[in-house]
Amino acid sequence: MATWDDVRRLALALPETSERLSRENVHWWVKDKSFVWERPLRRTDIEALTALGATAPDGPVLGARVADTGVRQALIASNPDVFFTIPHFDGYPAVLVRLDRIDPTELGELIVEAWLLRAPKRLAQQYLNPSAP
């Protein structure tokens, strides 16, 4: 349901966000920290998913920073058709998203949450409380 154009529009609408290539994939950054990124599955990722009995997605995959692995597991449990992980991310606070299966509104919420986790505290506070002094 969502597209890379949606990701780009939502991410770049956030303050001090930039888009850059890293390892030939697009990443969106706040200051010097990546918060969402294009994450195509590699052959080893697909083999690992198959070994676990899961079907590897064949569409576009977005990586998104989350608060911790508990949040990642909660997202996966709440909607396994959209969210998943691979062994490469064991112990890392990120979730993978089947971009063509996520609702654009939910995508926007995920992107904002990822941005808030990586943005400098001052910038995050300004975003959350724009009228505060």
Side-chain angles (χ1 to χ4, degrees):
M1 291 194 286
T3 67
W4 289 117
D5 288 338
D6 294 322
V7 174
R8 178 171 287 113
R9 176 181 49 79
L10 292 163
L12 292 176
L14 296 165
E16 299 186 33
T17 296
S18 63
E19 177 179 305
R20 297 183 241 168
L21 282 179
S22 177
R23 297 181 184 178
E24 299 181 19
N25 295 308
V26 180
H27 289 233
W28 288 270
W29 302 74
V30 56
K31 295 292 188 172
D32 293 326
K33 295 181 179 180
S34 177
F35 62 98
V36 290
W37 58 94
E38 182 182 13
R39 179 49 166 91
L41 296 181
R42 300 176 185 123
R43 182 184 52 79
T44 54
D45 300 330
I46 294 168
E47 289 170 357
L49 284 169
T50 303
L52 295 172
T55 303
D58 56 2
V61 176
L62 175 75
R65 188 70 178 235
V66 294
D68 56 45
T69 57
V71 170
R72 175 183 66 204
Q73 290 311 111
L75 286 169
I76 293 168
S78 72
N79 198 344
D81 289 336
V82 171
F83 301 103
F84 70 104
T85 191
I86 54 176
H88 178 79
F89 287 101
D90 286 352
Y92 186 74
V95 69
L96 297 175
V97 182
R98 291 172 176 94
L99 192 57
D100 56 358
R101 293 189 183 182
I102 191 168
D103 176 84
T105 300
E106 188 174 13
L107 174 65
E109 292 169 3
L110 182 73
I111 289 172
V112 168
E113 288 298 320
W115 181 88
L116 287 168
L117 289 167
R118 304 296 279 171
K121 290 182 186 204
R122 169 199 54 80
L123 186 59
Q125 285 302 323
Q126 286 175 347
Y127 178 80
L128 292 171
N129 301 306
S131 60

